[in-house]
Structure formats: C-alpha cells, structure tokens
Amino acid sequence: MPIIEHLLEQGTHMGNSNFEAIGEWWDVENKNRKVSGKLTFSRESGGELETKGSLRSPDFGMEWESGKNGEMIGSYTRETEKKSRYYKRIVGSTKSDPVTLEECTRTRASGNFLEYKWEIIEPTWMLVGAHFKPGEKLEFDQFTVKLGNLTRWTAKSGLLELPIKTLKMMGRTIPPEKENVWYELRAIPVEAGSFTLKDGWEVKISHAVTKSGDGIHENKLTQEFSFSATHSHLRPIEEIFDLVSDLQDLITVSSKGASAIRELLLRRPDVVQGPKKQRKNIKFYARWNFPNPSSKDLNDEENSTYFTLSDLGGAEGAKKWIETASQHRLKVSRALSSRYFSGMITDDVIINAASALESFDKSIKNDNVQDLKVRLNRMQKLAGYPFSEMISDPEMWSDLLKKYRNESAHNLEKLIDSDFSRKYWISRSAYWLFVICMMRVAELPDSAFQVLGGNPNFMFEAGRIKEIDLT
C-alpha cells in the first residue's frame, strides 16, 4: 500500500523503538534563533518536539504599513497566526545525532501571540542522523527496510543446531575436541537472492544474525532478513516510499497477517561517519496506526504464510510481482486496504475491492465496457485456479458483488442481519480474485497457485465462501 498515502491520510510508523533526545533546535530558515528542547517519538503518539522558547521572532508573518506620521504599524491576523504554526523544516543537534524534522505544525504553546514561553511541535517525518539544508531535496541512493514476516516468508535459515549429546547416544563418532560438548549452535550466512528492477534499483534479500544473552544464563542467536536496495543515482524519498510499499504489499499478500514496516534506514554518499568515511544510516520515523511492530501478531505463528519466496519462483518471482505492482499501485492500495486496516466496515471493503477489480480489468483490456459484471466475469476467467475452487456459480457471484457494490456506493443497502456474514465473505473472495489476477499478470509460476490452493488458511476461506447462498 503506498506509504505516502499512509502518512498523509492514516499515518504510519516506521521505526521499531521509541526515541528521546534533548538538543538545540532551530527553523532551518533562521539558524540564528536557536532554542533548547526535547524531541520524543513513540509508536502511540508519533513525534513531538517541546521547545523552551519560540523558534520564531514575535513579528514573524506580520503585515507592516506606514502610519500617518511615518510610524510602522503591524497587523496580526488569523492568517498570520496560521502561517506561524507551520514549519517546513526544523533541524536540531542532540548529543548523539543530527536530526531533521519535516512538515511540522505547532499544536500548543504557552504565552501570547508575540512571544511563546514554550511550544509543542509535531513533525510528520523525523530523520535521525543528518541535517538537510533549506530547500534541499530528500534524496538517497540506498535503503534497508525490515518487514514483519519477511524472515518466515524467505523460508531459509542460517541457524544450525548440533545436538552432540544426542549424536553420542546414537553411536555417532564425535571428534575428541567435542567430547564434552552437549549442544553446538552455528550461524552461517544465507544467500536469499537479489534482482534488478527496470527503474535501476538493485534489491537484495539480506541476511543478518545477532547474538544476545548474558553468557551465563543464556546465549541466543537470532536471524533476520531484510530488503536492501541500491541505485546508481540519488533518488527522491517518494520513489523509495513507493518501492518500500510494493515490497511490503508482497509480504502482506503472502502472509496470513499484514506485514508491518519495522524499520527504514536511508543512506546517501555525503552522510558518513568514522575515519574510513563509511556511510551512516539515517533512521526514518513516522507515525501510523497500523500495525504495532512490537506486538505479537499472526505472522509470528507457524503456517502464517500463504506462499514463500521459493513458491513464487525465488527472487525472479519477487521481481515480477514488484514490476507488476508498480504499474497498478492505486489498485493494489484499494484492494489491500482491508488487510492493513482491520476495522474497515465491510461496505467500504466491497467498494474498494470492486473498484480495484474494475480498474484492473480496464487497464488490461483497454476498453470502455460499462457493465461491472462483464469485467468481473473476465477477471474470474483470468484468475482460474484456485479462485475457481471458491465459487459455486461464477455468474451469480458476479451479480451479487455488483449488487453489493451498487448498494454500498449509493447507500441503498437494507440492513438485514443475515446478510452481514455473506457480505464479509463476498468481500474476501473479491480480495482473493484481485490478488490471483495480479499473480497471473505477473506471470508467476504454477507452483505459486498450487501452493496457495492447498494452503490450509486459504482452503478454510474457500470452503466458507463456496457455501454462500448466492441467490
């Protein structure tokens, strides 16, 4: 789902930890007026800067005119006050990192309109690790994104456990140096694959292992996969948002639970650290309502994937999905909206799914067919198996989805209790029709469709949908 849309409409959170720092802050347009303040970020409330004093002079935005006697008269209007609350960019220096705050709004203040004793300012985005100048574009040529369920989706492991004690009991020959060893844990690097997109981004599925524990009570190895991307030129952050969104949608479509963006790290050649001038990670923070990356969700369970990386055809299959999704981002956003926002009412889910299907068919066929049923029938033929296993009567299913779409769009629905469950399962079937059609257009291998059709979670839904009374 497009992250720009998340940020501006629903909000979103990228960054898996809370943040707090005290520093010196200033409006990037006026570096001579600096104030002290504390910046915090939490998953629940997003970013907040509390300053001691005002970032702007008392006469900021005032309109001046000459009086009768040559004196200057300033006027402070509601429009002036509105302008004074908005900051395009604020920068700060903390003990550990430079920080840039983007698209900021003063939400509270103490004092009068001429001088504030303190201000509460909320940024839309936070970039921890770099200062950006006035008017400087947010551009980067590398990023790393960590996504919920990505590790399970890869279905690969670099963690090996060797139960030496068990091997001894089985009569296996044990090297002398391992005679007194009970268990041995090993971590080895894993190559999960990489691909290059048409727009020049080189994407690698990276593997990392970390060690934790105090060494006395426990030692633990944890592995994690992430997407790392590199471009030969600096690219605008909006382009990175789009690609991250496509990657997130791929993992969400493949998973029982929606994938959370756990962390987004940005890099560019002029932001370096240390004597070797190594690139420094710029950590991106923003607030969103879905989902809390720290909480246990459906993706932490076994059997939480509909299909894995290898089921899609490896890195080449992932590339095919991303290339296809990049051409249909708005449609994908509509179809997957119910996956990211579980509280969405069923009528809205139906409208979004039907709209996505209609637009998708229109983009494929490039015609002016007005009848939604015709388009739905064509999409069903495109999807084939395993969608065909869901539907008892394709014609009647198209009629019912069209009926529900029209009722929901024009507020014509009759509130009949027995229809609620049917509407829900029709909306789920419409979602699956879109996903499977996307897979067909992306030319994913037959193995992906076979695995999806045999997945226990999918089979459960297919069974419930097939039982629906379509009359």
Side-chain angles (χ1 to χ4, degrees), residues 92-129:
S93 294
T94 69
K95 186 176 181 181
S96 57
D97 286 293
V99 179
T100 299
L101 309 179
E102 290 288 298
E103 304 292 338
C104 308
T105 303
R106 184 181 70 238
T107 58
R108 285 170 287 161
S110 174
N112 55 50
F113 70 91
L114 290 179
E115 188 71 36
Y116 294 116
K117 296 179 181 178
W118 54 261
E119 292 180 294
I120 301 295
I121 298 170
E122 295 183 359
T124 302
W125 305 342
M126 293 169 43
L127 296 104
V128 178

Side-chain angles (χ1 to χ4, degrees), residues 1 153 195 197 243 245-254 307 312 314-329 332 335-336 340 360 431-432 434-445 449:
M1 187 173 192
W153 173 76
F195 52 88
L197 300 172
L243 178 51
S245 174
D246 294 340
L247 294 167
Q248 180 190 19
D249 290 341
L250 171 59
I251 306 304
T252 293
V253 164
S254 304
F307 33 73
L312 294 177
E316 183 62 24
K319 173 184 176 179
K320 289 179 177 179
W321 171 274
I322 299 301
E323 294 280 19
T324 303
S326 67
Q327 301 173 41
H328 303 283
R329 285 198 179 103
V332 174
L336 268 64
Y340 291 107
F360 198 20
Y431 161 80
W432 278 117
F434 179 86
V435 169
I436 295 170
C437 285
M438 276 283 295
M439 295 168 64
R440 293 292 182 190
V441 173
E443 298 182 346
L444 296 182
F449 300 93

Side-chain angles (χ1 to χ4, degrees), residues 61-233:
M62 292 184 69
E63 298 177 1
W64 297 92
E65 57 182 2
S66 299
K68 293 181 179 180
N69 300 318
E71 74 277 17
M72 298 301 295
I73 301 175
S75 59
Y76 191 84
T77 65
R78 181 173 295 180
E79 186 63 27
T80 304
E81 195 276 335
K82 182 180 179 181
K83 290 180 179 179
S84 72
R85 287 191 283 115
Y86 172 74
Y87 297 88
K88 176 65 176 176
R89 179 173 292 169
I90 296 171
V91 293
S93 294
T94 69
K95 186 176 181 181
S96 57
D97 286 293
V99 179
T100 299
L101 309 179
E102 290 288 298
E103 304 292 338
C104 308
T105 303
R106 184 181 70 238
T107 58
R108 285 170 287 161
S110 174
N112 55 50
F113 70 91
L114 290 179
E115 188 71 36
Y116 294 116
K117 296 179 181 178
W118 54 261
E119 292 180 294
I120 301 295
I121 298 170
E122 295 183 359
T124 302
W125 305 342
M126 293 169 43
L127 296 104
V128 178
H131 281 162
F132 287 86
K133 301 173 184 177
E136 184 178 7
K137 295 180 180 179
L138 299 180
E139 296 180 319
F140 309 88
D141 61 354
Q142 293 181 0
F143 72 84
T144 296
V145 62
K146 297 179 180 179
L147 298 171
N149 209 41
L150 173 56
T151 297
R152 192 176 291 279
W153 173 76
T154 64
K156 297 178 181 294
S157 180
L159 303 180
L160 302 178
E161 178 184 341
L162 302 178
I164 305 298
K165 186 176 181 180
T166 302
L167 294 177
K168 288 180 184 178
M169 295 173 61
M170 295 171 61
R172 301 285 182 87
T173 301
I174 305 298
E177 65 271 16
K178 303 244 176 119
E179 279 293 327
N180 296 320
V181 176
W182 282 12
Y183 290 95
E184 185 174 84
L185 295 178
R186 293 182 182 179
I188 60 174
V190 175
E191 292 291 334
S194 61
F195 52 88
T196 301
L197 300 172
K198 293 177 182 178
D199 58 8
W201 281 103
E202 297 180 9
V203 182
K204 180 181 179 181
I205 307 172
S206 302
H207 176 248
V209 175
T210 56
K211 177 182 174 296
S212 60
D214 58 12
I216 298 176
H217 299 91
E218 69 172 3
N219 275 324
K220 184 169 70 172
L221 297 176
T222 303
Q223 71 169 356
E224 184 176 26
F225 286 86
S226 60
F227 285 114
S228 297
T230 302
H231 202 284
S232 57
H233 298 88

Side-chain angles (χ1 to χ4, degrees), residues 334-398:
R334 288 173 175 168
L336 268 64
S337 57
S338 61
R339 297 294 312 278
Y340 291 107
F341 306 102
S342 58
M344 184 178 292
I345 63 174
T346 305
D347 284 347
D348 288 342
V349 177
I350 286 175
I351 290 174
N352 285 338
S355 174
L357 287 165
E358 185 175 30
S359 298
F360 198 20
D361 180 77
K362 186 180 296 185
S363 65
I364 295 171
K365 299 297 184 179
N366 193 27
D367 59 23
N368 294 315
V369 171
Q370 300 298 313
D371 190 346
L372 176 61
K373 180 181 177 180
V374 173
R375 295 195 181 279
L376 294 176
N377 286 342
R378 293 196 306 209
M379 295 298 277
Q380 289 190 68
K381 291 179 181 178
L382 171 63
Y385 179 86
F387 183 78
S388 57
E389 298 298 301
M390 278 187 165
I391 307 303
S392 58
D393 188 310
E395 290 285 334
M396 294 180 69
W397 179 89
S398 295

